[in-house]
Amino acid sequence: MLLPRTADQSAFDKGDVAFILICSALVLFMVPGLGFLYAGLARRKSALTLLWVVVTSNAVVIFQWYLWGYSLAFSRTATNGFIGNLAHIGLKDVLNQPSPGSPLIPELLYSFYQLQFASVTVGILMGAVAERGRVLPAMVFAFIWATVVYSPVACWAWNVNGWAFKWGVLDYAGGGPVEIASGVGGLAYAVVLGRRSQRELVNFRPHNVSLVCMGTFMLWFGWIGFNAGSAFGANLRAAVAGWNTGIAGAVSGIVWTLLDYRSNHKYTMVGFCSGTIAGLVAATPSSGFIPPWASVILGIVAGVCCNYATKIKHWIRVDDALDLFGEHGIAGMLGLLFNGLFAADYIISLDGVNTSMDGASFMQRRYKQLYIQFTYIVAVAAYVFVVTAAAAKVVDMIPGLALKGDPEAELIGMDDHEIGEFVQDFVEVRRAFDAWNPPSSEEDVGDQRADGEEEVVAAGDRHGGFTDLYATELRPTHELNRSVSRGRSRADQSTTRTVVKSQTPSPKDKDDLNEKDNHDAQVDVVSAPVEPINPPVPTTVPVRH
């Protein structure tokens, strides 16, 4: 016996539905891409914390979007133009109605696709916690921010009753709700969070450029679903959006690399990845509006402007560690302005839905479009900065939810302080080598003692904040001080060694230790009498730089 259908799906093309489902998965793939990008750009001692906040914020946003985020952004019955209501709380009555974005797909699918946009936006914003932000307050803030910032701005641009939508603002895939919101929001969060200690600002460089490259191309891969999927169907407008995305990202990456070469005569991978992301960001609001030739110009302008915009943080003395404002904020603004200049009605009509527009930009003699776009940029930036700063300050004032870690946390690394795990296992090894590989028999123990009773101690993170030196039983105080001043000249360099309290080593052993302390080895061999079975607890001596 066949059960009757509970929802009529005959009005929707299955090809379009499948296309948006695939695009949703592609956009979700951007979340770990952001995490790897941020982790690679950070110091090793705080890399895993950035990966953690990005992927965990995804879980927070999923719940928020299900609970009331979608309703606050896209409810049809709210007519105030600024924010939706709770008509669709818990996805109530969200099923097979034509979606607010396009009649070609059902609203349930549309809400799922828009969820990925919200997750990516909050993930971008989480880069503001780099190397000094605590993770639990960041998750509380993420929930609040998605409610009071992202949902209202998304309502302005994409809700059929939003003031920006009704005014004729052209924002294809999120120049305002995604890029300006995350870039300006990240700047505001960094203002409230405060700067890292001076030690952490000196000689800062990415710890793993391979992760930066991998994260960038995971983002590029997902960005195709982000922009092409915003046509809400498998149509020619989606194809144009895909082309524009690739062109802008490629050209911007090349331009950024050449600008870096002009200053340091190196073709840096980080420079190419940064430029590529700037171009992809600029394409987000424009890829479904402008012709491909305009994306070439957009890529050039984004590469140049965003490269120099990364210097703004030094002028205003805000520690925007991962350049959220310089790349996402500025590039999003550029993409929106290009819509006012180069948007073409024949590109817009390729989706088969928006076919009634006659003239879309300054180039098509719709001159007012340029100031409409500019006003929208100013409104979004101002609202996002003020509300983000206020929300961050409120969270920071709640007992137990201080946004910033203490100086000790910055020094040892947020991974150790907040997570207790590390991006690579050898980063914070504090265990004796024999504790990993205990002797297999009493015979092996005897051989070990006969060979001089040596114990191998693994080194820790050269980017860490603590230096575990030989215990005072092994080295006099004046030798410890001389070792610190001689071998720790760079502010970003420290080595963690773990040793076991024991008897004073032989003179030959002391000479070996002093000789090894003159270079930056990842693994040191410390000779000292030890108990091979049931080794005692290691002793750690913290030394500040």
Side-chain angles (χ1 to χ4, degrees):
M1 177 180 177
L2 295 177
L3 296 177
R5 292 185 177 180
T6 58
D8 183 14
Q9 305 177 51
S10 60
F12 308 114
D13 184 273
K14 292 184 178 180
D16 291 335
V17 171
F19 176 72
I20 300 303
L21 280 171
I22 293 172
C23 287
S24 300
L26 291 176
V27 178
L28 175 62
F29 194 61
M30 296 174 69
V31 173
L34 276 169
F36 287 128
L37 172 68
Y38 288 169
L41 288 171
R43 284 185 175 89
R44 189 162 55 194
K45 65 180 180 179
S46 298
L48 191 64
T49 301
L50 281 168
L51 184 56
W52 192 96
V53 293
V54 171
V55 299
T56 307
S57 68
N58 177 64
V60 172
V61 173
I62 289 174
F63 175 72
Q64 186 272 348
W65 197 249
Y66 162 77
L67 180 63
W68 58 37
Y70 176 75
S71 186
L72 292 175
F74 292 102
S75 57
R76 302 171 188 269
T77 56
T79 58
N80 59 65
F82 290 91
I83 191 170
N85 54 32
L86 298 180
H88 298 305
I89 188 170
L91 297 182
K92 178 185 176 184
D93 298 327
V94 176
L95 192 59
N96 65 326
Q97 302 86 354
S99 73
S102 171
L104 302 177
I105 60 174
E107 187 172 12
L108 185 64
L109 176 59
Y110 181 80
S111 65
F112 181 69
Y113 182 62
Q114 289 292 344
L115 161 65
Q116 316 310 325
F117 279 56
S119 294
V120 168
T121 304
V122 176
I124 297 170
L125 177 70
M126 288 295 101
V129 310
E131 302 200 334
R132 78 271 199 204
R134 296 177 60 223
V135 298
L136 176 60
M139 294 304 101
V140 175
F141 173 80
F143 185 91
I144 296 173
W145 190 88
T147 301
V148 300
V149 176
Y150 181 81
S151 290
V153 177
C155 177
W156 299 357
W158 294 327
N159 192 312
V160 293
N161 294 314
W163 69 262
F165 183 90
K166 293 168 72 173
W167 196 28
V169 168
L170 301 179
D171 190 350
Y172 178 66
V178 178
E179 307 302 354
I180 295 178
S182 60
V184 175
L187 184 70
Y189 192 90
V191 170
V192 176
L193 192 61
R195 294 164 62 85
R196 287 167 290 176
S197 64
Q198 188 63 31
R199 175 189 179 278
E200 301 299 317
L201 295 174
V202 176
N203 199 26
F204 174 71
R205 59 194 182 276
H207 97 274
N208 192 325
V209 179
S210 296
L211 283 180
V212 174
C213 182
M214 182 178 72
T216 298
F217 278 84
M218 288 174 68
L219 286 171
W220 197 337
F221 181 73
W223 230 301
I224 303 300
F226 200 95
N227 289 350
S230 292
F232 300 117
N235 50 57
L236 278 177
R237 192 181 186 191
V240 171
W243 261 111
N244 283 336
T245 302
I247 290 171
V251 173
S252 181
I254 293 170
V255 169
W256 192 301
T257 302
L258 294 177
L259 287 173
D260 280 0
Y261 181 82
R262 177 174 173 270
S263 60
N264 58 27
H265 300 288
K266 301 291 183 183
Y267 303 104
T268 64
M269 176 59 76
V270 172
F272 177 77
C273 291
S274 299
T276 298
I277 291 173
L280 294 171
V281 169
T284 298
S286 64
S287 57
F289 289 122
I290 65 176
W293 62 265
S295 288
V296 176
I297 304 173
L298 177 59
I300 295 171
V301 173
V304 173
C305 292
C306 294
N307 184 287
Y308 288 104
T310 58
K311 312 299 187 294
I312 294 176
K313 64 184 180 182
H314 302 300
W315 302 342
I316 61 178
R317 297 187 61 79
V318 174
D319 189 9
D320 184 11
L322 301 183
D323 293 318
L324 300 187
F325 177 73
E327 292 210 37
H328 292 273
I330 297 299
M333 296 175 188
L334 291 173
L336 287 168
L337 289 175
F338 263 63
N339 286 344
L341 289 171
F342 301 112
D345 52 14
Y346 69 90
I347 298 291
I348 300 171
S349 65
L350 291 176
D351 61 6
V353 176
N354 299 286
T355 58
S356 60
M357 182 172 288
D358 183 16
S361 65
F362 191 89
M363 291 289 290
Q364 294 187 330
R365 299 185 179 181
R366 182 177 166 84
Y367 303 116
K368 68 176 183 179
Q369 191 63 47
L370 195 56
Y371 77 72
I372 289 175
Q373 299 296 114
F374 179 79
T375 304
Y376 172 68
I377 291 169
V378 173
V380 172
Y383 176 83
V384 168
F385 187 88
V386 172
V387 178
T388 300
K393 194 65 178 177
V394 168
V395 173
D396 190 51
M397 294 171 63
I398 298 174
L401 292 181
L403 296 178
K404 189 177 182 181
D406 55 32
E408 189 85 350
E410 286 189 60
L411 193 63
I412 66 174
M414 301 308 295
D415 290 357
D416 195 359
H417 187 267
E418 294 284 299
I419 308 298
E421 298 170 325
F422 310 96
V423 71
Q424 292 160 320
D425 187 60
F426 64 81
V427 169
E428 291 286 348
V429 177
R430 291 197 178 94
R431 295 157 295 205
F433 189 83
D434 276 346
W436 293 359
N437 301 279
S440 59
S441 65
E442 288 296 326
E443 182 179 353
D444 292 338
V445 173
D447 292 342
Q448 189 179 37
R449 289 177 176 173
D451 290 339
E453 299 181 347
E454 294 187 351
E455 179 181 6
V456 178
V457 180
D461 183 12
R462 297 175 63 234
H463 295 282
F466 277 85
T467 302
D468 297 341
L469 297 175
Y470 312 111
T472 54
E473 292 87 353
L474 293 181
R475 302 181 68 184
T477 302
H478 72 275
E479 290 189 26
L480 298 179
N481 295 334
R482 186 168 66 248
S483 172
V484 172
S485 62
R486 182 175 59 213
R488 306 294 185 268
S489 59
R490 292 184 298 178
D492 186 39
Q493 176 178 335
S494 64
T495 304
T496 301
R497 295 195 186 101
T498 303
V499 299
V500 180
K501 283 188 177 180
S502 174
Q503 301 175 6
T504 304
S506 66
K508 179 178 181 301
D509 293 332
K510 281 188 176 182
D511 292 339
D512 290 341
L513 298 179
N514 289 330
E515 180 181 352
K516 285 182 177 296
D517 203 41
N518 284 326
H519 63 81
D520 297 325
Q522 285 293 331
V523 178
D524 298 332
V525 178
V526 178
S527 299
V530 298
E531 291 294 335
I533 301 178
N534 299 323
V537 178
T539 297
T540 298
V541 181
V543 176
R544 304 294 186 270
H545 292 288

